[in-house]
Amino acid sequence: MRMNIDLANGLTKEQEEMIRQAKEMPVIYDEDCPPLSEQELREFKCADRIRGGNEIQQTVILHLSPQALHKAELLGADSPSVLSRLLERALNNKDMVEDCL
């Protein structure tokens, strides 16, 4: 099941209940998503570190213009991950950083 939720307007009671129920549902493994062994989980973490990932991510609050928010919403359900990668690339681009100062 997939649902778009507008967090700017807050959650409805129905949405809160759906999220609560989803949290309580058991994980169901299948051939596309088998359970991982402890060794596989360790390797997965190692691969993330090699790619430059961190084990601990910090949550930050950003204020976006209405135009930027609209464009971000168009990125779809994975928009936070896309925005994170965009910000990472922008911060690694010295010219872009200087243009924004």
Side-chain angles (χ1 to χ4, degrees), residues 21-47:
Q21 288 177 4
K23 281 181 169 180
E24 295 174 1
M25 292 177 67
V27 176
I28 300 172
Y29 298 104
D30 63 20
E31 63 188 34
D32 292 326
C33 182
L36 298 176
S37 68
E38 289 298 320
Q39 178 63 32
E40 289 169 321
L41 289 170
R42 282 192 295 278
E43 290 172 3
F44 205 61
K45 281 185 176 180
C46 182

Side-chain angles (χ1 to χ4, degrees), residues 48-68:
D48 184 51
R49 276 191 227 112
I50 291 169
R51 283 191 0 240
N54 296 318
E55 289 186 64
I56 300 173
Q57 293 183 347
Q58 186 172 355
T59 300
V60 297
I61 296 173
L62 297 174
H63 297 275
L64 301 176
S65 69
Q67 297 84 0

